[in-house]
Amino acid sequence: MLELIEPSPPGSTVTHFPTRPRLLVVDDEPLILEGLSRLLATRDYEVETAGGGCEALIAIGRQQYDVILLDLGMPDLSGTEVLRFVTERSVDTQVIVVSGDSTIDAAIRALRGGAADFVRKPYEPEELLRRVDNTLTRRRLERENNAILQRLQQSEKWHRFLVNSSPDFIYTLDSEGHFTFVNDRAESLLGYRREELLGQHYSLVIHEDDVSRAEHIFNERRASDRNARNIEIRLKCNPGMRRPRLMNGRCRTVELTATGMYDEAAGPFEGRFIGSYGVAKDVTDRKQAEETVHFQAYHDLLTGLPNRALFRDHLGLMLAQARRNQQPLAVLSLDLDHFKVINDSLGHTIGDELLLAVGTRLRQCLREGDTLARLGGDEFAVLLPTLVSRGDVEHICRKIIQVLSKPAYVKGHEIYISVSIGACVAPDDGELVDSLIRQAEIAMYQAKSDGRSRLQFWEPGMQAPYSERMQLEADLRRALVRNEFVLFYQPQVDAVSGEVRGFEALLRWWHPQRGLLSPAEFIPVAEESGVIVPIGDWVLRQAAAQMVEWQKAGLPAVRLSVNISARQLESPDFVDSVMRALHAHGLDGRLMELEITESLLMRDFEANAIKLGRLSAAGVRLAIDDFGTGYSSFKYLSRFPIHSLKIDQSFVQDLEREENLSIVNAMVAMGRGMNLTVIAEGVETAAQRARLQQMQCHEMQGYYFSAPLAAHAATALLGQQTGGTADAQRIAG
Ligand code: C2E
Ligand code: MG
Ligand code: MG
């Protein structure tokens, strides 16, 4: 910052010179010279004398004098000549003419000629001294003013330099919003010369879509800390600018900070609004980089079409909308037939061109609101958000198949292609994003194996083709090595107190390409291929490790339930693998609960009874999962060392139905009668919770209390247990 300039208080008559004021007395009359010198010597002045005009000039050339007392009538060189010399050469001094010529004319001439004052001879000594003193004071003030002026000019130059060489666009507006100042950056940023902008309304440079936002910022009246800061806005460049390419586009994105300006003369509180000033930082390049990164994350770079991630996003949004409007939507999976052959025989460049051409043709068959995405390779997907019937899907697909069957011409090659399409419709075929995409894909594989170039709707029971399962299986095996599995924990809370009694460990898979997968998407394949055994082993060990971590952290001891699959239970190593997990971490078996479905228990009744008996002896608890969906035979169940019954969510979710109400009632009553802990699964609403409480169900689990939580969130929830109940801290869905 530049220092402030503080002049000494005006009106002070004391003269301050760095040294004593230096005076020159000029007169050809020796007596007068002598008398004046003596008079002046009574003051603290340094006095020198000159006996004529020439001598005076020599002295002035050698020395600087603050005041010269000058006689006019001198024989060698008149005082008038000396005065002219002083004025014309801008000698830094003040001249008081002391003359015997008492006419008013002489005085006027002297003053016009540049004298500071005029004193008549004979002079009154006091009067002369006063005049000298006044002249000295005036000289001092003038010098000080000059110094201030110079510093102000310097400071002004500095500020102008700083403002103009700023990389930011700086402006001021009057109270009506017209530019009153813009810095040099206006030209390189917006392509307007300063004169073109001054006097113009700011709206000239605002992008059409940002007008209302701009109004708010450009009319900024606040001058406090609450003023508009770093507001992002687009500025329009001069449409007629000469070097548009240098400007890198027709509009710039800036971050604007604006402040109101007030006329301070009116006082700090009643200041009159006189306009605003602002600083706009050009962030166009950063924005473009961000947009590019964002685009690349959500688009296929070859065709510029949305990729799988964006397609999933759109589908999620459209599903919610379709649910609100109670309108069906369709997901199509399209795969080119024999694309690999074309790619391998004609090369990737032609393959890429062909994919581009296919993208264009597909787009032509769709309406504006439909989403077309490239999921990878030669696989495309389409989302038809507004449908009337399956007939609509058939109609569009017929068109697609027909349009694509026309030959494509790429670099002199005539290429024939066809497409196989799989389709599924929400909500009929489900309402989950990933399952819908999967189902459409499965249907598409079916279309391929049924002869290609056709449409196939998904039907329940349709299986993913063998090769695809092989892929999933290979991915699953690698997933263990690459540590791609995680456990989520869903609290099971006490029906009365709302306290967390336990957690169910639920498996998730961070698939490197497909994102977070739920067990429904991979457990069946894992089960079929047997990979579930090592995975299940990992789940047991991971769960035990988590329990021990909680114990070490001094958190309340709660139960942890782990789901057991058929293959796992049937494995001869099953009991040992549970015991190993417990021992590895030194965990008390009573804190571990195994969730097994009834149908699974019944599969190999005798063997299971022995295995579970051994585990029970080690304290491990047993829960019947999805209770009510299988045999529900208490007679058989009583042969197993069971601790808990988990009432399947299908009953809980439809508690309004009288029939379900009585079934659940009976299940709770029987469970209680057998001294089992009864846990209701899938509790989503307060009404369901109230019903279940009335029935004296022990514990509940479901989105009403909390969705499955990542480990850190489950830890936090347990940590709060002492401070409150899970009920009180319900985490919505
Ligand atoms: P499950 O054992 O019946 O687990 C309960 C399922 O219901 C979980 O689905 C859970 O997220 C979901 N759920 C919880 N609260 C609600 C609710 O209020 N409403 C609704 N609609 N659903 C709710 P998730 O995690 O997708 O697991 C699905 C199934 O996958 C599990 O059903 C279980 O059979 C199996 N599974 C999960 N983890 C493992 C595992 O580590 N090993 C094995 N073998 N199977 C597992
Ligand atoms: Mg379970
Ligand atoms: Mg269950």
Side-chain angles (χ1 to χ4, degrees), residues 487 490 504-508 518-520 523 527 532 535-536 539 562-565 568 595 597 625-626 646 648-649 653 681-684 701-704 706-708:
L487 287 185
Q490 189 175 33
E504 176 175 3
L506 293 160
L507 186 60
R508 301 286 180 269
S518 64
I523 294 261
E527 177 85 16
I532 193 70
I535 294 176
V539 172
V562 173
N563 292 286
I564 302 297
S565 78
Q568 238 179 317
E595 291 195 6
T597 60
D625 203 358
D626 304 346
K646 297 190 72 182
D648 190 69
Q649 37 180 289
Q653 268 156 32
E681 281 195 277
V683 180
E684 292 182 356
Q701 177 184 349
Y703 297 160
Y704 177 72
S706 166

Side-chain angles (χ1 to χ4, degrees), residues 232-251:
E232 212 173 272
I233 196 163
R234 278 166 299 171
L235 300 184
K236 235 173 14 181
C237 295
N238 184 355
M241 78 193 154
R242 282 141 293 148
R243 298 179 301 167
R245 277 209 282 140
L246 278 186
M247 306 293 179
N248 191 10
R250 293 250 166 246
C251 96

Side-chain angles (χ1 to χ4, degrees), residues 260-308:
M261 288 195 297
Y262 290 83
D263 181 2
E264 275 168 17
F269 297 111
E270 60 247 64
R272 188 172 53 90
F273 177 69
I274 52 170
S276 63
Y277 63 88
V279 177
K281 179 194 277 302
D282 180 16
V283 294
T284 314
D285 293 344
R286 194 194 74 202
K287 282 299 285 185
Q288 275 171 354
E290 277 170 14
E291 273 162 23
T292 311
V293 169
H294 189 261
F295 185 86
Q296 286 178 353
Y298 285 101
H299 290 82
D300 161 48
L301 293 186
L302 171 66
T303 57
L305 292 173
N307 63 9
R308 188 183 286 268

Side-chain angles (χ1 to χ4, degrees), residues 90 123 131 152 182 189 312 316 333 393 413 456 532 627 727:
S90 308
Y123 52 83
R131 299 284 192 97
L152 273 177
V182 296
L189 184 75
R312 288 182 78 249
S333 163
V393 181
H413 296 274
Q456 171 69 55
I532 193 70
F627 186 69
D727 197 10

